[in-house]
Amino acid sequence: MDVIIAGAGPTGLTLAHELALAGVRTTVVERLTERIEQTKGGAVQARTAELLDMRGLLDAILARALPRDTEGGHFGLLPVPLDAKPWRTRHPKPISIPQWMVEEELERAAGVQVLRGLEVTRVDQDDEGVTVTAGSRTIRARYLVACDGAHSTIRKLLGVPFPGREGTYRAVLADIRLSSVSDLVPKQAGHISTLTRQAGEHWGMLVPIDGDRYRFTFGPESDIQTALTAIYGEETRLAEVFNSSRFGDATRQLEQYRHGRVFFAGDAAHIHPPLGGQGLNLGVQDAMNLGWKLAAKLHGHVDVLDSYHDERHPPAARVLHHTAAQRVFASPNIEPDALALRDIFTDLLRLPDTNRYLAGMMSGLDLPGRVPDFDLVTADGPTRLAALLRSGRGLLLDFGEREWPSGWADRVDVVHAKADEDYDALLIRPDGVLCWSGEGPVTRAMTMWFGQPV
Ligand SMILES: Cc1cc2nc3c(=O)[nH]c(=O)nc-3n(C[C@H](O)[C@H](O)[C@H](O)COP(=O)(O)OP(=O)(O)OC[C@H]3O[C@@H](n4cnc5c(N)ncnc54)[C@H](O)[C@@H]3O)c2cc1C
């Protein structure tokens, strides 16, 4: 076995997909015997949508997305929608879809077997590989990737500290059905700021899903009817609870994402308050970054594994940073001084430059190396950039008719194209990150990211 993935959440399953695409022998072990249809993450942000699109996975997700025409993302629940359109994306609004549906689609597409009901309880690593005990099985592989979530067993088994801040509140997220509603209950989904409400010490957000179904997030922790009555009045009656979970606002991040032959990704590496729908997205993006690098190492092409930590630690650190700021604005017990700051910040959000900056940050569209998904024409006809990255290989896109070195043909597709763009030539990694655009010899960038030519 080449890679063991612990955890079949969105991070582990994205990684499984990437490794399967690259022909790496992979085993996924998952503690749960079956997927729980529990709503956790509910928003796929624009950059994640672009990455899923690059693998041909987005259409299936869009087909199951909630028919909710959001007005754009938000920062700290402030009432000014974030407009990602200036970032030239085909997905300017967050896509609303329950996390378990994303997981289902990822698992189906990956085509790898998930060994369910196997909990990792022991990890031993040496110079050659990692031995994992999961349930009654002992599995040996060259690498282990811990995608086992916020309470990562593997983090604890390795004794890796998870520094950060304790949570300050506990809240509840539930998928429910209401038998009657008061006028205070939102009639339709709109911008998130129109769906939140506070009454005394209680705060809540009711998102209409379909007919009498709602997604209810509230705090402080109490039983659901009590919170409904407090926030939306006696007339609002609970008929059914489909599922519910508790969450908090602890903020932590690993100092190192690599510990020998063990890598950490997703919530196992970073946790933060669920403000602005970031966690699932960070995990999927961690996996996209790590997958092809593991494959490149295992295929003996190049060892760029340490760049995984270097590239993925900063975006999560940034999410920890901005969710801390958002927490100030979104707090139900906001201080009067912070209230004044919130008013001024709300006005600033109406300025196009400020709005664009925050839209880029919250959607992930401002991450380094992103190339917008533009239209182009190749010898096979009209297409777009994302469609050329389906194979999970590197892409050398030439907007001329030049000859290119052929020693990387087994790893990098060379495509000649015409486009209404100001590019000469682009070298794009399998994870959609631009690594060369004409400065310096292309062979240097090819060797650095794809290894020696054959
Ligand atoms: C209320 C709430 C709302 C959220 N909203 C959003 C949102 O809108 N958008 C967004 O992007 N994110 C959101 N998030 C965050 C998102 O849900 C998480 O970031 C995401 O689930 C992380 O995915 P993961 O695969 O890293 O971890 P997880 O989804 O936690 O998956 C880890 C998996 O590992 C398994 N596991 C654990 N221990 C072991 C073991 N020892 N052996 C084997 N398997 C094990 C678990 O059973 C689980 O299946 C929200 C979270 C909460 C709580």
Side-chain angles (χ1 to χ4, degrees):
M1 191 54 59
D2 292 324
V3 178
I4 300 168
I5 297 172
T11 307
L13 292 169
T14 305
L15 184 62
H17 180 269
E18 289 304 289
L19 293 174
L21 191 62
V24 171
R25 292 168 307 154
T26 307
T27 297
V28 184
V29 289
E30 164 58 52
R31 177 174 60 186
L32 298 176
T33 49
E34 57 184 33
R35 175 167 297 114
I36 302 175
E37 292 187 5
Q38 182 183 48
T39 307
K40 282 171 82 185
V44 173
Q45 303 290 350
R47 184 55 182 154
T48 308
E50 291 183 345
L51 294 174
L52 295 170
D53 197 16
M54 278 174 208
R55 295 296 186 259
L57 298 170
L58 187 63
D59 287 348
I61 285 171
L62 286 175
R64 298 179 74 180
L66 301 177
R68 178 177 156 210
D69 188 14
T70 60
E71 293 173 46
H74 73 96
F75 185 83
L77 301 180
L78 297 177
V80 183
L82 299 179
D83 182 5
K85 286 194 285 298
W87 289 93
R88 275 191 75 190
T89 180
R90 296 180 198 269
H91 317 285
K93 294 172 184 174
I95 299 164
S96 288
I97 179 168
Q99 180 168 317
W100 62 267
M101 289 190 190
V102 176
E103 293 172 9
E104 266 187 8
E105 293 305 328
L106 288 168
E107 186 169 339
R108 198 191 329 270
V112 292
Q113 195 194 1
V114 176
L115 303 177
R116 292 191 175 274
L118 292 187
E119 178 171 5
V120 174
T121 51
R122 185 174 170 149
V123 174
D124 297 292
Q125 58 170 319
D126 52 52
D127 289 348
E128 304 296 317
V130 188
T131 305
V132 168
T133 306
S136 57
R137 305 272 297 264
T138 301
I139 313 169
R140 174 106 178 135
R142 303 270 305 278
Y143 296 98
L144 165 66
V145 186
C147 304
D148 54 344
H151 303 286
S152 171
T153 313
I154 296 170
R155 218 174 45 218
K156 291 170 194 153
L157 289 172
L158 265 60
V160 179
F162 199 30
R165 192 160 78 174
E166 292 289 328
T168 57
Y169 68 74
R170 299 290 296 165
V172 179
L173 173 71
D175 281 328
I176 59 174
R177 193 165 67 75
L178 297 177
S179 54
S180 65
V181 296
S182 73
D183 289 346
L184 299 173
V185 170
K187 308 239 171 338
Q188 60 194 33
H191 188 253
I192 196 165
S193 58
T194 65
L195 306 172
T196 50
R197 207 182 136 68
Q198 196 176 350
E201 61 159 0
H202 295 271
W203 60 269
M205 180 168 74
L206 257 183
V207 184
I209 301 291
D210 187 16
D212 53 4
R213 284 187 74 146
Y214 294 80
R215 185 182 206 206
F216 185 32
T217 314
F218 66 91
E221 204 177 344
S222 69
D223 79 86
I224 298 174
Q225 182 62 67
T226 304
L228 283 170
T229 306
I231 306 166
Y232 301 98
E234 287 287 348
E235 282 169 64
T236 306
R237 305 304 304 173
L238 179 68
E240 196 174 348
V241 179
F242 300 105
N243 60 62
S244 72
S245 57
R246 294 186 192 87
F247 65 94
D249 63 342
T251 301
R252 299 179 180 280
Q253 185 177 22
L254 288 181
E255 277 164 5
Q256 268 301 326
Y257 283 15
R258 178 180 189 176
H259 289 261
R261 291 181 164 272
V262 182
F263 293 84
F264 289 85
D267 277 14
H270 39 72
I271 55 167
H272 53 82
L275 271 164
Q278 302 285 307
L280 177 154
N281 294 271
L282 277 177
V284 168
Q285 291 173 27
D286 286 351
M288 293 287 289
N289 186 292
L290 180 59
W292 73 275
K293 293 175 182 174
L294 276 170
K297 170 71 177 167
L298 287 160
H299 292 322
H301 294 147
V302 68
D303 186 347
V304 287
L305 284 171
D306 285 341
S307 69
Y308 165 64
H309 168 88
D310 298 342
E311 293 180 353
R312 291 305 303 163
H313 190 277
R318 185 173 73 154
V319 168
L320 266 61
H321 192 241
H322 72 61
T323 47
Q326 290 188 72
R327 192 157 62 165
V328 174
F329 292 145
S331 167
N333 307 310
I334 186 164
E335 303 278 334
D337 288 355
L339 207 51
L341 181 66
R342 185 170 75 177
D343 288 344
I344 293 169
F345 203 89
T346 303
D347 285 342
L348 289 176
L349 271 185
R350 298 186 215 281
L351 303 178
D353 281 355
T354 322
N355 195 296
R356 177 184 188 276
Y357 173 81
L358 285 170
M361 186 169 86
M362 297 299 287
S363 61
L365 291 170
D366 67 350
L367 288 169
R370 168 181 176 259
V371 183
D373 179 29
F374 55 82
D375 292 320
L376 43 82
V377 180
T378 70
D380 296 329
T383 184
R384 51 198 182 90
L385 179 61
L388 299 180
L389 289 158
R390 296 271 145 91
S391 65
R393 292 152 54 87
L395 174 68
L396 179 53
L397 199 51
D398 177 24
F399 299 95
E401 291 298 331
R402 278 158 292 195
E403 285 280 319
W404 294 94
S406 61
W408 290 271
D410 59 334
R411 283 154 271 172
V412 180
D413 297 326
V414 178
V415 175
H416 298 276
K418 289 192 171 42
D420 201 5
E421 300 287 333
D422 197 14
Y423 299 122
D424 204 17
L426 302 173
L427 179 63
I428 299 176
R429 303 188 327 198
D431 55 354
V433 169
L434 179 69
C435 56
W436 178 85
S437 58
E439 280 163 35
V442 71
T443 45
R444 192 194 305 155
M446 291 280 230
T447 309
M448 177 171 169
W449 291 109
F450 299 100
Q452 294 297 328
V454 288

